[in-house]
Amino acid sequence: MSYNENFLVIPAKFPTFVPEDPKFHAEWDILSLSIALVGIEPGGFMAKGVAGGSQLGRTRTGVIVSRGVAADGVRVGGRITLDRSSVALHVVGIAPTATYGHVALVYAPIALWRQATYGQVTGGVLPASAQGLASAAALQVRPGIDVSAVGTHLGVDIVTKQQAYAGSPGYVAETATMSLIIDFLYVIAALIVGAFFTVWTIQRKADIGLLKALGASNGLVIRDALGQVALVMAAATAAGALVGSGIGSLIPGGTVPFALQTGAIVTAAVILAVAGLVGSLVAVRRIAAVDPIIALGAAS
Amino acid sequence: MTARDVTADTMTDRGGLRLEQVCLRYADGDGEVVALDDVSLTVDPGEMVAVVGASGSGKSSLLAVAGAMRQPDSGHIYVGGTAVTGVPAKQRSTLRHDRVGFVFQGSNLLASLTALEQLELVGRIGRAPRAATRTKALALLEEVGLAAKAGRRPGQLSGGERQRVGIARALMADPAVLLVDEPTSALDHQRAIDIVSLLVEETHRHRIATLMVTHDRSLARLADRVIEMRDGRLEPAGAPSER
Ligand SMILES: Nc1ncnc2c1ncn2[C@@H]1O[C@H](COP(=O)(O)OP(=O)(O)OP(=O)(O)O)[C@@H](O)[C@H]1O
Ligand SMILES: [Mg+2]
């Protein structure tokens, strides 16, 4: 049996789901830090997705901190206190970087999360009304299941993992800005490549005139030029992708939210190559206009 | 060379170069400049004609129309027996490749190619078979005395040697007509004489109709016939107004 998609059930009219802000101010030793507390079912599939997740639930107050929290100096065996709750968290493991709205995650067993989130008013005692409450539920379904029908039946919204990301604070605004910057870079790249090949053509004007004087047709000269453009573009794009990945891999994932994905690199490379070819068409048009007569009386 | 071999009449009657009442005008601001004024000229196969004349007299214009680079405003031009006037540009470039050889001022070689590759390029433009092209290129380099330097690029050749490569390149497609523009402007006198003598020799050997522009009358004298251009008109050299 295979499950290949995660969905998030988020509260609509379902009484046991109450959206809660997961962000807490926390203290460790003399440090003050911001964390986002996430409760997961120990032994559940979400816990399996967390490095060291099997540690969760062994003790009532054991938590796993993501690398961002560890980078502030928090160590395994340490004890974190929260500002708006009397609950203490004991660090039992460190997981890779994970954030919610740029705040580093701390994974807790769901019972501990409830205690921290809903127990604050009553001084640590979880009110009966908070039993079974959650902000959202994660679903893992077999391919082919109509999740929206399930959602309608239950009276909840069911969204994909991607949509859930998009719903997190600042995500849409930030990614839209980044996409805009990236799109502009593609346009700029096309312009630069076009300008490069235009200069290249101007520099080789005498040679092109000579070829035409020797009897080369426009078609032949243009095909030759486009072939060279394609070759230069392919080599330059491949080199650029390599250098980009090389430099990108030096950027520590913990400090900058940055990920290099093969798909994105390939897409960018293809877009760049196509944009470059389009840009170079301007240059190629100049080739057609070169007059073979310049070969005469060219005192080189 | 491939296209010419199939036109049967070209080998027996290559036709040389013929210009009939050719006029060429350039727009010049509001008025116009008459670069060629009713020019008629025949250069026979195996004949070398030198054209002398002052700057601006129309020598380059004459080569441009003879080489099918410019269409004249009136008149007819025949290259190797074929009319080049009233022919679309694409056909003219084929014609240029098949029937016309150019030797340019300052040789005009491609900096990145070896002497051999300069010649092979002509074969590539004409889509001639590779092996035959190489054989022919090597034979021509031998003919101009550069067999030993086939692998050199223009930067590694002297001015005279570059011009020899230029001459061999012009002969690659078995032209009916050879058009030569100031071939010696970058050379000292002795080397200039060598180059023009080589052109005369090749003209005779390959039975080409050669038209050479030069400003040097002592070099022009090496040709079979000398004509003079004055304000776009042709006159036999030594005509009344010569100093
Ligand atoms: N593209 C052009 N546009 C306008 N006038 C031109 C053009 N080319 C040449 N001319 C004019 O036509 C006349 C003949 O020019 P051409 O270049 O044929 O002379 P030339 O004998 O080759 O001169 P030179 O010895 O200086 O090379 C000149 O008056 C020149 O100014
Ligand atoms: Mg001239």
Side-chain angles (χ1 to χ4, degrees):
Chain A
M1 201 185 297
S2 77
Y3 303 97
N4 60 358
E5 282 207 79
N6 287 348
F7 291 87
L8 207 61
V9 180
I10 57 172
K13 339 174 188 55
F14 216 62
T16 47
F17 292 152
V18 179
E20 291 294 343
D21 184 3
K23 289 178 189 170
F24 286 87
H25 286 286
E27 278 179 12
W28 179 80
D29 203 2
I30 53 164
L31 276 177
S32 173
L33 36 117
S34 288
I35 62 163
L37 193 64
V38 176
I40 51 185
E41 198 68 62
F45 72 86
M46 290 294 278
K48 288 202 194 87
V50 176
S54 57
Q55 296 294 323
L56 279 184
R58 298 240 172 124
T59 59
R60 207 180 57 82
T61 56
V63 297
I64 291 175
V65 300
S66 63
R67 183 140 327 267
V69 178
D72 282 339
V74 173
R75 297 279 169 271
V76 172
R79 178 174 175 275
I80 299 174
T81 55
L82 302 177
D83 64 338
R84 51 184 166 103
S85 166
S86 56
V87 170
L89 314 175
H90 291 95
V91 180
V92 296
I94 293 170
T97 304
T99 59
Y100 174 82
H102 295 297
V103 176
L105 287 195
V106 172
Y107 305 94
I110 186 91
L112 181 61
W113 172 81
R114 262 188 210 116
Q115 186 83 40
T117 306
Y118 302 115
Q120 50 198 323
V121 199
T122 51
V125 182
L126 193 63
S129 60
Q131 297 292 348
L133 277 187
S135 285
L139 290 186
Q140 205 172 36
V141 299
R142 262 172 295 163
I145 288 184
D146 183 0
V147 284
S148 62
V150 175
T152 310
H153 180 71
L154 292 176
V156 293
D157 286 343
I158 301 185
V159 299
T160 63
K161 211 155 65 168
Q162 284 309 320
Q163 290 167 320
Y165 288 155
S168 75
Y171 183 87
V172 171
E174 284 168 30
T175 48
T177 308
M178 287 309 286
S179 314
L180 195 68
I181 292 172
I182 291 170
D183 292 347
F184 265 110
L185 285 175
Y186 287 138
V187 173
I188 291 167
L191 288 176
I192 289 175
V193 172
F196 172 81
F197 285 116
T198 302
V199 171
W200 202 32
T201 307
I202 291 168
Q203 280 177 340
R204 297 191 314 155
K205 200 174 162 187
D207 289 354
I208 293 164
L210 173 69
L211 288 178
K212 288 191 180 184
L214 293 178
S217 64
N218 258 334
L220 181 76
V221 183
I222 289 174
R223 269 197 304 280
D224 190 64
L226 276 183
Q228 290 185 37
V229 167
L231 222 83
V232 171
M233 282 307 298
T237 310
L242 272 178
V243 171
S245 322
I247 294 175
S249 68
L250 297 179
I251 298 176
T255 46
V256 188
F258 177 85
L260 267 180
Q261 289 154 336
T262 317
I265 292 173
V266 171
T267 311
V270 169
I271 290 177
L272 271 183
V274 171
L277 269 180
V278 170
S280 68
L281 284 180
V282 183
V284 164
R285 279 198 6 221
R286 285 173 167 272
I287 294 177
V290 173
D291 190 340
I293 207 147
I294 62 172
L296 277 184
S300 68
Chain B
M1 91 184 187
T2 44
R4 280 200 49 230
D5 291 341
V6 293
T7 43
D9 62 313
T10 53
M11 291 315 286
T12 48
D13 174 26
R14 308 178 81 181
L17 173 66
R18 203 157 89 241
L19 284 81
E20 289 174 358
Q21 298 172 317
V22 169
C23 289
L24 178 71
R25 288 179 282 269
Y26 294 110
D28 178 29
D30 296 334
E32 53 180 25
V33 180
V34 180
L36 297 175
D37 185 2
D38 196 26
V39 170
S40 294
L41 168 70
T42 301
V43 183
D44 290 325
E47 184 188 26
M48 167 127 160
V49 172
V51 184
V52 292
S55 183
S57 59
K59 305 182 299 290
S60 293
S61 302
L62 183 66
L63 291 185
V65 295
M69 287 177 175
R70 277 238 187 290
Q71 288 286 65
D73 294 297
S74 62
H76 298 281
I77 297 164
Y78 302 90
V79 167
T82 303
V84 303
T85 33
V87 169
K90 185 167 168 55
Q91 244 166 291
R92 273 188 282 138
S93 61
T94 309
L95 215 121
R96 213 158 38 230
H97 174 269
D98 291 346
R99 306 207 169 189
V100 183
F102 281 101
V103 176
F104 303 98
Q105 205 169 346
S107 72
N108 213 344
L109 301 175
L110 290 164
S112 58
L113 300 187
T114 66
L116 180 62
E117 287 162 352
Q118 312 273 353
L119 273 60
E120 288 180 325
L121 181 64
V122 178
R124 232 189 88 199
I125 291 173
R127 298 198 168 79
R130 257 163 204 268
T133 298
R134 169 151 300 197
T135 309
K136 176 149 202 180
L138 288 170
L140 281 170
L141 284 176
E142 173 98 55
E143 211 171 289
V144 299
L146 278 182
K149 295 174 179 175
R152 296 216 190 160
R153 290 173 216 288
Q156 304 165 310
L157 294 170
S158 73
E161 289 167 340
R162 282 202 288 273
Q163 202 50 288
R164 282 166 194 275
V165 175
I167 292 169
R169 178 177 67 186
L171 298 173
M172 266 305 281
D174 287 328
V177 169
L178 190 59
L179 301 172
V180 187
D181 190 14
E182 296 278 9
T184 60
S185 54
L187 305 177
D188 63 54
H189 194 65
Q190 187 50 49
R191 246 159 278 279
I193 290 176
D194 292 346
I195 288 297
V196 175
S197 305
L198 176 64
L199 281 166
V200 174
E201 199 183 306
E202 298 290 5
T203 298
H204 295 165
R205 177 185 294 154
H206 295 282
R207 295 202 49 75
I208 304 169
T210 300
L211 189 61
M212 175 182 76
V213 162
T214 178
H215 63 274
D216 187 332
R217 283 165 196 275
S218 68
L219 290 175
R221 232 169 270 133
L222 298 170
D224 299 311
R225 184 151 59 100
V226 183
I227 52 178
E228 177 149 0
M229 281 213 90
R230 195 167 292 139
D231 297 334
R233 292 185 148 270
L234 280 189
E235 298 166 11
S241 57
E242 203 198 15
R243 291 150 294 239

